[in-house]
Amino acid sequence: MGAMDRRDFIKSTAASLAVSSLLVSCGKKEKGEPLVQKIGGEIDALGIKWDKSVCRFCGVGCGVLVGRKNGKVVATKGDPECWSNKGLNCIKGYFLSKILYGKDRLTTPLIRKNGKLVSATWDEALDLIAKKYEEILKRDGSDAVAMFGTGQWTIFEGYAAVKFMKAGLGFISKDGVGSNNIDPNARMCMASAVAAFMRTFQSDEPMGTYEDIEHADTFFTWGANMAEMHPVLFSRIIDTKLKNPDRVKIVDLGTQFTRVSEEADLYLEFKPQTDLAIANYFANYIIKNKLYDEDFVKDNLVFKKGETNIGYGLKDKGADIPKTAGKMEKISFDEYKKFVSTYTAKYTSKLSGVPVEKLREAAKLISDPNRKVCSYWTMGFNQHTRGTWVNHLVYNIHLLTGKIAKPGQGPFSLTGQPSACGTAREVGTFVHRLPADMVVKVAKHREIAAKIWKIPVEKINPKVGLHTIEMFRAIDNGQIKLLWTQVTNPFHSMPNLNRFTKAAKERDIFIIVSDVYPTRSTEVADVVLPSAMWVEKEGAYGNAERRTQHWNKIADSPGEARTEIWQMWEVAKRLKVDANRTVADIIYNYNPDNYYEEMWDEYRSFTLGIGKDLAPYNVIREEHGVCWPYVAKSKAVNGKKDFSDVWADIENTEPNGFVSVKWRYNARYDPYAAKFIKEHPERSFKDGIVFYKASKNDYRATVLAVPYEPPGESPDNEYPFWLCTGRVLEHWHTGTMTMRVPELRRAVPRAVVNLNEDDARKMGIKRGDLVRISSRRGSVVFPADIGGRSVPQKGLVFIPFFDETRMVNEITLDQYDPISKEPDYKKCAVKVEKV
Amino acid sequence: MVISSLVISSSPTAFDAVCDSIGKMPKIEIVEKQDSKLAIVLETDSTEEAVTIASEIQSLDGILNVELVSHFFEDEQKQEENQ
Ligand code: SF4
């Protein structure tokens, strides 16, 4: 093809793709052209070979088609066959390939010698790591080692890591049990959502899917700037609004005015932490005005009250947290009514600063029986010292009104990382968990895991490990002697960072960091291992709507970079159990040339027959994302349960005898719910909804009475401002990837502090002035920004955490939710001074 | 040469003005208009230039969303390798 022809061909391809996506987003076409038919797509006229993949950035989990030529990525496009995004990506899509090709990619292993990191061979690095494991496990036992992972691990990697720690190390350690000291950075973003899901429904993850957006007419966003953090989903909300502008309402609740607030019909700006009071007020409004669904309450709910005054995790080993922090006690509906009656409009307004009329207007919308309501939230709720509670309080609203598990109605917890759900939560890479919602504490669960892993059950440690904050505190206290971090950057992202960086440098701790670029964490490492990233390896992610998405290896990794699975496997090979066996022989007994399928089948067996069913390997390879439970009609097709008798009543079933469930707990869509109802003729279930996982509560969801309690640290005379931290549109998390993209680095090179205009004026601070922000933990200088894209409320400053040259986490507080153990990055007290 | 395509949503009241402004911007071809949405193709020297234009569009009054559909950058990739 000549140069002009080629140019015209690309332009006309780009144009037709855009037109097709436009028609889909207007609702004029159901689906875009399937430009890559199936896996291993054709080479197109430009010599580009296309394969499906998933975006490497946020938790929306957009499908991306990746085009390669000569082992390099040369084009990308939104995947029209992926239902999460229907052919569209956000602007970050421009940089997807560039994150692979940053100039300082790590390409060889590094070992610290005389204080300096120097290049080493893989054998040297792996031998040293294995020697350290051996030494420490034999001397101090399995409590002395830890692994800190991520919601960016592929599902395969997370599974391999869990086996390494929980199944493998027990064969070496002096105490004969594995280590549960494995936690993901998802502890810092999702743990509160997980805790509330488990306590409310006894099953993690949302009931609905993103498709709710097209069915709903009322959207509540709680402290979530979806326009910048989950752009593709927000644009689906905007599309719904554009189609029906008079009917559709967006209500935004937050502590800063964002682009979502700008598009919203109603904006409620509340004082930090008073979301607890506002949600309770909505419940009170629902009850006072008898807007609850009486039958739904009778059939499907149980009322409880939670323990109060539960502490803030400020003391090491949770010394300020009562043992009963997570306790829930049954109460009657009347007792619950009485409890919420305190939260009148007047009282809530005084506490939150939101005018009474606005509170009433929002309450009216959320409780209107003729409205289909969806609630969305993310870090504003989860990074909260009462994060579990506030998640509960939104469930309460949806449960009382029966606005749940139906198309267009439901509470939906968003995620920040691409596989926070698929890997961290579903695989269970947490200190207390095993795969598929099981926990190490329960003997039956250990037995199931041991059987699948083919190891003696005694090898699985029943003692819950050290969750993130306590894990890093234990480095300072000397308990942890070896830490392996993978695909994450804790020595930048931990709150009260100075304490932990100092500990890493001064304590007797051996730190291994597997990553793709140098970071603040590699700076304190004893060994750095260069990793393959994203499409440089086969992988799968699970996004916030329970969708599993698989990709093949598409590009080559640079230099000697290797996958984390290979790294763990090589270490396991060096750990000798006896004369004939290594740890690898026990935990990675797969065909080394083709282990992904074997590993998937093994992992998948945890999920079958319990309503968490993952799709078979051939399906995840072929399809452009399928949601679990991916249920088979009959036992003969697959799975442990037979649904032939209810199959005819289920919507969206596929000719292959499976259904990818869009609304869990709803008998029209979820065979488990249909089957349960059929088997329980003695009970009635309003709207065909049953919380069939909640076996401990007679299959009812929990409505929890918990109050407003103040945050762990509030502004006072000395530190009069609130500090809130988070992301900016251009950079993702600690900037490890996005700061390697020259365009993004030039656009937003450094973090700035965002001030409210009135506050700035009073202090005589202008845009660009240097400002010292100090807390009880330290102080950092930032240039001031006033009147930027987001506007903080009076008395609050916002600072993003991506910048490694000015790390806001040096001043944040290591407080956490005593139930979920998730830190609160959104509230601590600081002072602001012009330099 | 970098070629990319985008879908832009605007508020219905601002749509005509938005089309007008975008129509006047260089390196852009509008290929479809419907329901206050535009499909456009950008032909730029670099990804950076494409992003700059996308950000300019984003900051126009009445714009609700700018989304990326496709991005072809083989030439840029080669240039970067040669450097
Ligand atoms: S919305 Fe998230 S997943 Fe989708 S393209 Fe943007 S960053 Fe990637």
Side-chain angles (χ1 to χ4, degrees):
Chain A
M1 213 186 282
M4 272 327 270
D5 293 348
R6 183 169 160 269
R7 171 176 167 264
D8 290 343
F9 181 81
I10 300 177
K11 279 186 97 167
S12 71
T13 308
S16 70
L17 288 166
V19 174
S20 157
S21 297
L22 182 147
L23 294 176
V24 173
S25 72
C26 295
K28 301 219 162 123
K29 210 169 144 189
E30 215 202 327
K31 225 174 180 185
E33 261 54 62
L35 282 138
V36 174
Q37 280 299 349
K38 288 288 164 196
I39 198 71
E42 301 297 303
I43 293 182
D44 70 11
L46 297 161
I48 298 175
K49 186 171 186 295
W50 291 94
D51 270 299
K52 73 180 170 99
S53 178
V54 196
C55 176
R56 179 63 182 78
F57 298 118
C58 88
V60 175
C62 293
V64 179
L65 299 177
V66 178
R68 79 178 129 156
K69 214 170 163 179
N70 306 325
K72 289 266 180 182
V73 179
V74 295
T76 55
K77 51 195 180 193
D79 184 351
E81 286 190 274
C82 174
W83 280 102
S84 294
N85 56 311
K86 301 179 184 174
L88 295 168
N89 287 155
C90 76
I91 295 298
K92 279 197 207 72
Y94 268 122
F95 309 110
L96 263 172
S97 69
K98 303 219 164 192
I99 57 174
L100 299 175
Y101 305 122
K103 293 207 165 48
D104 55 345
R105 264 299 285 268
L106 295 166
T107 53
T108 63
L110 305 169
I111 295 178
R112 192 170 296 280
K113 286 180 184 160
N114 301 323
K116 273 217 163 89
L117 284 173
V118 293
S119 293
T121 65
W122 270 110
D123 275 334
E124 275 177 275
L126 295 163
D127 289 347
L128 174 64
I129 293 169
K131 197 181 111 214
K132 284 285 175 186
Y133 267 107
E134 183 102 40
E135 199 180 289
I136 293 164
L137 287 167
K138 295 236 152 91
R139 187 188 64 211
D140 304 315
S142 57
D143 283 352
V145 299
M147 183 176 282
F148 191 59
T150 176
Q152 296 161 65
W153 261 333
T154 69
I155 297 172
F156 301 104
E157 288 162 352
Y159 186 68
V162 164
K163 281 191 88 177
F164 182 86
M165 294 294 290
K166 302 201 178 204
L169 296 186
F171 289 90
I172 304 294
S173 77
K174 72 165 182 188
D175 36 19
V177 287
S179 174
N180 286 323
N181 288 338
I182 170 172
D183 222 27
N185 60 2
R187 171 76 69 186
M188 292 132 116
C189 71
M190 294 311 311
S192 301
V194 177
F197 269 120
M198 295 307 291
R199 287 156 51 98
T200 307
F201 308 100
Q202 261 183 265
S203 177
D204 194 10
E205 299 192 34
M207 39 295 304
T209 53
Y210 299 157
E211 203 179 311
D212 281 320
I213 296 174
E214 281 80 35
H215 297 282
D217 55 24
T218 310
F219 298 93
F220 273 66
T221 50
W222 298 80
N225 181 4
M226 286 177 78
E228 298 197 0
M229 304 312 152
H230 301 87
V232 165
L233 288 186
F234 192 65
S235 89
R236 283 173 74 165
I237 293 181
I238 291 290
D239 284 345
T240 301
K241 172 118 183 136
L242 281 176
K243 273 175 218 147
N244 202 348
D246 298 332
R247 171 75 187 166
V248 174
K249 299 278 180 233
I250 301 173
V251 180
D252 183 40
L253 301 99
T255 60
Q256 329 187 39
F257 188 89
T258 65
R259 265 191 56 216
V260 174
S261 327
E262 209 173 299
E263 305 305 337
D265 298 275
L266 186 60
Y267 170 55
L268 275 60
E269 186 164 275
F270 61 85
K271 290 189 193 130
Q273 193 89 350
T274 62
D275 39 8
L276 294 160
I278 294 172
N280 269 329
Y281 160 70
F282 288 163
N284 187 25
Y285 181 95
I286 289 164
I287 285 165
K288 284 266 137 62
N289 294 287
K290 299 229 161 22
L291 290 163
Y292 51 90
D293 182 331
E294 233 163 300
D295 290 336
F296 195 83
V297 169
K298 189 164 59 58
D299 292 345
N300 283 316
L301 306 185
V302 57
F303 293 86
K304 296 184 188 175
K305 78 169 200 272
E307 188 78 355
T308 52
N309 290 316
I310 58 177
Y312 299 98
L314 289 164
K315 295 208 171 113
D316 285 11
K317 300 189 179 158
D320 60 336
I321 297 174
K323 284 225 156 39
T324 50
K327 210 171 104 191
M328 296 188 282
E329 225 174 88
K330 227 166 157 178
I331 56 171
S332 68
F333 189 19
D334 284 334
E335 284 169 294
Y336 174 76
K337 288 178 182 170
K338 191 159 169 259
F339 170 83
V340 289
S341 66
T342 320
Y343 295 89
T344 59
K346 220 168 127 197
Y347 172 70
T348 307
S349 171
K350 199 164 158 238
L351 210 55
S352 66
V354 182
V356 166
E357 314 75 65
K358 278 200 175 188
L359 284 171
R360 286 219 179 97
E361 206 182 327
K364 217 170 141 195
L365 285 168
I366 207 165
S367 57
D368 184 342
N370 297 317
R371 284 196 165 267
K372 293 185 174 177
V373 180
C374 282
S375 293
Y376 293 93
W377 67 92
T378 162
M379 297 314 135
F381 266 11
N382 294 341
Q383 295 176 341
H384 193 310
T385 48
R386 294 293 178 268
T388 307
W389 286 10
V390 76
N391 274 267
H392 272 290
L393 294 179
V394 172
Y395 293 141
N396 290 353
I397 297 164
H398 283 269
L399 288 168
L400 289 167
T401 52
K403 292 178 192 289
I404 194 164
K406 298 168 191 165
Q409 312 220 55
F412 197 103
S413 132
L414 299 164
T415 61
Q417 299 189 84
S419 203
C421 284
T423 304
R425 294 161 71 165
E426 289 160 29
V427 173
T429 65
F430 287 92
V431 292
H432 61 299
R433 275 207 174 188
L434 290 165
D437 285 356
M438 296 196 300
V439 289
V440 294
K441 267 197 320 212
V442 175
K444 180 96 211 314
H445 294 177
R446 293 197 301 277
E447 275 161 30
I448 293 171
K451 203 168 152 220
I452 293 174
W453 288 342
K454 300 195 183 77
I455 58 169
V457 68
E458 308 77 57
K459 291 286 168 202
I460 302 180
N461 195 338
K463 200 177 96 194
V464 173
L466 295 170
H467 63 82
T468 299
I469 296 278
E470 295 300 349
M471 181 187 282
F472 283 81
R473 286 176 179 174
I475 293 175
D476 194 19
N477 295 334
Q479 180 197 323
I480 303 268
K481 304 268 192 261
L482 183 153
L483 172 73
W484 190 347
T485 79
Q486 299 189 2
V487 211
T488 184
N489 187 8
F491 293 97
H492 179 148
S493 58
M494 285 292 291
N496 192 9
L497 186 61
N498 286 333
R499 174 178 178 189
F500 304 116
T501 309
K502 192 159 171 272
K505 286 181 183 154
E506 291 173 4
R507 302 284 175 231
D508 172 25
I509 168 96
F510 186 77
I511 298 178
I512 308 152
V513 174
S514 297
D515 214 328
V516 295
Y517 290 109
T519 62
R520 287 292 182 229
S521 300
T522 59
E523 280 172 15
V524 297
D526 296 281
V527 178
V528 176
L529 303 178
S531 295
M533 77 185 292
W534 192 40
V535 293
E536 291 167 356
K537 58 195 171 191
E538 178 171 343
Y541 277 163
N543 74 3
E545 60 167 351
R546 297 177 277 107
R547 191 178 294 277
T548 312
Q549 292 163 287
H550 173 276
W551 68 88
N552 279 324
K553 178 176 187 285
I554 296 172
D556 299 324
S557 48
E560 293 171 39
R562 303 298 299 260
T563 67
E564 278 84 6
I565 295 181
W566 182 87
Q567 296 169 15
M568 286 183 277
W569 200 324
E570 285 298 316
V571 172
K573 272 190 203 164
R574 286 163 168 79
L575 297 173
K576 291 215 165 24
V577 177
D578 50 41
N580 306 316
R581 289 180 312 164
T582 66
V583 169
D585 294 330
I586 296 166
I587 59 169
Y588 302 138
N589 191 16
Y590 314 114
N591 173 359
D593 299 320
N594 181 24
Y595 54 85
Y596 286 103
E597 181 166 4
E598 284 175 43
M599 204 187 251
W600 182 262
D601 289 346
E602 180 189 301
Y603 165 49
R604 179 172 173 253
S605 66
F606 276 98
T607 68
L608 298 178
I610 56 166
K612 306 231 83 169
D613 318 46
L614 292 168
Y617 185 71
N618 67 315
V619 172
I620 59 165
R621 283 198 74 185
E622 291 275 326
E623 297 292 333
H624 293 228
V626 287
C627 296
W628 65 261
Y630 190 77
V631 188
K633 175 181 175 184
S634 72
K635 240 181 183 158
V637 180
N638 209 327
K640 299 182 175 168
K641 259 182 128 97
D642 198 282
F643 295 102
S644 311
D645 52 341
V646 294
W647 202 251
D649 306 328
I650 304 296
E651 288 191 23
N652 308 318
T653 54
E654 292 164 30
N656 67 354
F658 282 94
V659 64
S660 180
V661 175
K662 287 185 181 170
W663 288 278
R664 292 164 85 193
Y665 309 131
N666 185 324
R668 267 177 75 184
Y669 304 93
D670 182 350
Y672 278 95
K675 184 96 180 170
F676 188 96
I677 291 176
K678 193 160 188 204
E679 286 170 354
H680 291 80
E682 76 288 359
R683 270 181 71 173
S684 57
F685 294 99
K686 177 83 190 289
D687 298 334
I689 286 167
V690 53
F691 299 104
Y692 56 80
K693 291 292 289 179
S695 56
K696 285 189 209 150
N697 288 320
D698 192 26
Y699 308 99
R700 293 165 196 275
T702 298
V703 171
L704 187 68
V706 278
Y708 164 82
E709 279 184 6
E713 189 181 73
S714 298
D716 53 18
N717 286 341
E718 201 182 344
Y719 298 97
F721 283 86
W722 291 105
L723 167 66
C724 177
T725 73
R727 279 160 39 189
V728 289
L729 176 65
E730 289 79 3
H731 292 296
W732 200 71
H733 288 190
T734 61
T736 309
M737 296 184 289
T738 49
M739 283 296 269
R740 261 76 195 184
V741 178
E743 292 88 340
L744 292 174
R745 204 176 49 232
R746 277 195 287 267
V748 180
R750 290 281 163 258
V752 293
V753 52
N754 227 313
L755 297 161
N756 177 282
E757 226 173 316
D758 290 345
D759 291 335
R761 198 179 321 113
K762 258 190 229 147
M763 292 182 288
I765 296 169
K766 291 188 298 301
R767 195 160 187 235
D769 284 353
L770 289 181
V771 182
R772 177 171 292 112
I773 310 291
S774 317
S775 73
R776 291 181 177 86
R777 275 75 56 196
S779 73
V780 188
V781 173
F782 296 90
D785 191 22
I786 301 145
R789 280 192 299 239
S790 298
V791 183
Q793 63 179 264
K794 255 195 227 170
L796 184 143
V797 300
F798 175 84
I799 304 175
F801 68 99
F802 71 87
D803 189 349
E804 65 172 15
T805 66
R806 298 180 191 128
M807 292 191 288
V808 69
N809 280 320
E810 291 178 0
I811 54 181
T812 50
L813 176 61
D814 51 339
Q815 55 186 344
Y816 58 83
D817 174 354
I819 301 171
S820 71
K821 322 290 192 290
E822 175 163 348
D824 187 332
Y825 288 93
K826 303 292 187 191
K827 297 167 216 87
C828 71
V830 295
K831 65 179 162 207
V832 176
E833 298 157 300
K834 198 169 153 179
V835 183
Chain B
M1 175 191 68
V2 169
I3 290 171
S4 55
S5 57
L6 303 159
V7 170
I8 295 155
S9 317
S10 103
S11 73
T13 46
F15 190 57
D16 289 340
V18 162
C19 290
D20 213 43
S21 312
I22 293 179
K24 284 186 198 132
M25 291 167 81
K27 313 213 170 184
I28 295 182
E29 197 180 312
I30 298 178
V31 291
E32 181 70 57
K33 291 184 200 176
Q34 267 200 44
D35 292 2
S36 13
K37 281 174 183 279
L38 286 166
I40 63 167
V41 174
L42 299 185
E43 184 180 350
T44 51
D45 295 334
S46 64
T47 297
E48 180 155 22
E49 196 186 3
V51 177
T52 309
I53 295 175
S55 312
E56 268 167 41
I57 296 175
Q58 176 76 67
S59 63
L60 294 174
D61 279 344
I63 294 289
L64 298 175
N65 253 303
V66 177
E67 285 172 295
L68 180 66
V69 178
S70 66
H71 179 209
F72 295 84
F73 48 92
E74 188 183 346
D75 297 347
E76 187 177 45
Q77 176 74 262
K78 276 190 198 141
Q79 268 168 23
E80 274 169 16
E81 250 165 69
N82 292 340
Q83 269 166 19

